[in-house]
Amino acid sequence: MNAPTAPDAPKPAPRRAPYRHFHRIAWLAVALTLAVVVFGAFVRLSDAGLSCPDWPTCYGRATWPQAPEEVAGHAATDIRPLETHKAWREQVHRHIAAALGVLVLTLALLAARRRRFGIAQILGASVLVAAAIPVYMAGHQMEALAIAALGEALLLLAALRWSNVDLARAAALTLAVIVFQALLGKWTVTLLLKPVIVMGHLLGGLLTFSLLTWMAWRATDLPIRLAGARGLRLFLWAALAVLAVQIALGGWVSANYAALACGGGGWTTATPHAIDFPKCVGQWWPPADFREGFVLWRGIGVDYEGGILDGQARIAIQMAHRLFAVVAFGVLLALAARLLRTPGLRGWGAALGLLALAQVALGILNVKLALPLPVAVLHNAGAALLLFVLVSLVARVREVDLGAHEAAPGAGH
């Protein structure tokens, strides 16, 4: 039971709801972000990331061409011939991302409406970013970047100046991340799948997902009150940091086409090195070039589709992902065990443990089955769901407030 409330106990500051349906819009944005992340993984893993070589159009169209003759003579055909079975994937992904941008803009406007000049600042930044697109399409790339950067600066300034009592800071920051995500999406195409950009685009999508998840829970206002929550929150933040590193390593594996660097495919000895997992090319520690494997920035103008690194560099990337996976798995299981021992959090603990086990199983299946597309996409989705669990708990777990009238610890679960 909660400790009795003292007559003169200080009352918590009231939460200022930005709008009565704000939490519903935020949850819709969370669901849409998950769809964008998973569909983006499908686009990347099906080698469709360069199927629309221009941006934001696809061979000059808002949708996508249906036949090669529709794009005859278009400048984009000099970069890459049209592949209709891939082009729709890239452009659908862009349209879903654009719809998400509208939702996040709506949240930012609602959160800022009580701020002095808040709506003007959000709209002004958005107009600048929107104006940069036709400037870029006209061929003025540096001017477009400067205009978009000015809009981004306005959003970041708002996020720094505003408090988060009405979620205005989080909403402005999320909109700034969305804008930068759009730039990364453009650079993914124009820089020909440069690995650091591809990895950054993945991390940006998951950062957007995390910010929206945190904002949706805070707007819903269902805290889980626990005595001694400080220690658990530190554990949650540590687990979140470990998971972020592992996701970044996974993104680096994917961006450098290193998923099968150690061999893979098959369940019998008929295939060389097919069943020697967790060994790599038949060895516990094969020759690996970590220096070359983790060069973040390489030359301009290189087409990275299919990867350019040699075998030892790719092995280094794959081994780093595998080794840190052991660390991440151990941390997540330890956290799950702690949650299972905490009343009100046992369901979250079970979910975290099962997701961690499933994620490891999917990673092994990726190797054993030679990276089948459904399994690889599910592996990306699993990372997002693990992130959802940790961010949800960070948003909800709070110290017992002696001045609040809660029914019991964990009552918001």
Side-chain angles (χ1 to χ4, degrees), residues 29-282:
V30 169
L32 191 56
T33 308
L34 181 60
V36 170
V37 168
V38 174
F39 196 82
F42 167 69
V43 171
R44 183 178 71 255
L45 293 164
S46 62
D47 295 326
L50 292 180
S51 56
C52 292
D54 49 336
W55 185 93
T57 56
C58 185
Y59 291 92
R61 294 171 176 259
T63 55
W64 56 89
Q66 304 296 319
E69 54 268 20
E70 295 179 15
V71 298
H74 193 277
T77 57
D78 295 334
I79 303 173
R80 183 170 291 260
L82 172 65
E83 296 178 275
T84 54
H85 65 290
K86 291 183 178 181
W88 72 268
R89 304 174 190 181
E90 172 64 10
Q91 200 65 356
V92 165
H93 179 240
R94 293 177 185 178
H95 285 310
I96 301 173
L100 174 62
V102 173
L103 272 183
V104 173
L105 173 60
T106 302
L107 289 170
L109 289 171
L110 290 173
R113 65 193 181 122
R114 292 182 180 142
R115 302 282 175 165
R116 187 183 182 192
F117 305 122
I119 289 182
Q121 192 161 346
I122 296 295
L123 282 179
S126 302
V127 167
L128 283 170
V129 171
I133 296 175
V135 174
Y136 168 79
M137 294 177 68
H140 306 294
Q141 297 187 20
M142 296 308 297
E143 292 86 344
L145 181 59
I147 295 170
L150 181 57
E152 186 82 333
L154 285 175
L155 292 173
L156 292 174
L157 179 63
L160 288 172
R161 289 178 57 246
W162 296 340
S163 71
N164 219 25
V165 66
D166 52 2
L167 300 177
R169 171 178 291 170
L173 180 60
T174 306
L175 184 58
V177 172
I178 283 282
V179 171
F180 192 64
Q181 269 294 88
L183 290 172
L184 287 172
K186 174 179 75 71
W187 292 331
T188 296
V189 174
T190 58
L191 295 179
L192 304 174
L193 301 182
K194 186 179 286 292
V196 70
I197 302 297
V198 173
M199 182 184 69
H201 197 43
L202 168 66
L203 294 178
L206 291 172
L207 176 60
T208 303
F209 181 62
S210 300
L211 288 169
L212 285 168
T213 298
W214 185 90
M215 197 160 37
W217 277 121
R218 284 304 178 102
T220 305
D221 197 28
L222 289 175
I224 301 173
R225 302 284 184 185
L226 297 172
R230 176 180 172 82
L232 178 57
R233 285 180 60 82
L234 288 174
F235 199 166
L236 287 168
W237 277 110
L240 194 57
V242 168
L243 180 60
V245 172
Q246 180 61 6
I247 289 173
L249 286 171
W252 194 242
V253 169
S254 179
N256 284 282
Y257 300 85
L260 298 178
C262 289
W267 294 88
T268 70
T269 54
T271 305
H273 313 308
I275 61 170
D276 63 359
F277 182 88
K279 291 182 179 179
C280 181
V281 292

Side-chain angles (χ1 to χ4, degrees), residues 269-340:
T269 54
T271 305
H273 313 308
I275 61 170
D276 63 359
F277 182 88
K279 291 182 179 179
C280 181
V281 292
Q283 303 176 54
W284 286 110
W285 193 261
D289 189 347
F290 284 88
R291 181 186 297 273
E292 185 67 17
F294 287 89
V295 174
L296 294 181
W297 188 266
R298 297 181 187 274
I300 298 292
V302 179
D303 188 341
Y304 290 90
E305 188 171 37
I308 64 169
L309 297 180
D310 62 21
Q312 291 190 10
R314 297 193 203 206
I315 285 173
I317 296 170
Q318 174 64 207
M319 290 296 291
H321 184 52
R322 287 189 185 186
L323 291 171
F324 201 79
V326 176
V327 176
F329 185 58
V331 170
L332 292 176
L333 281 190
L335 177 58
R338 166 115 182 230
L339 296 174
L340 286 168

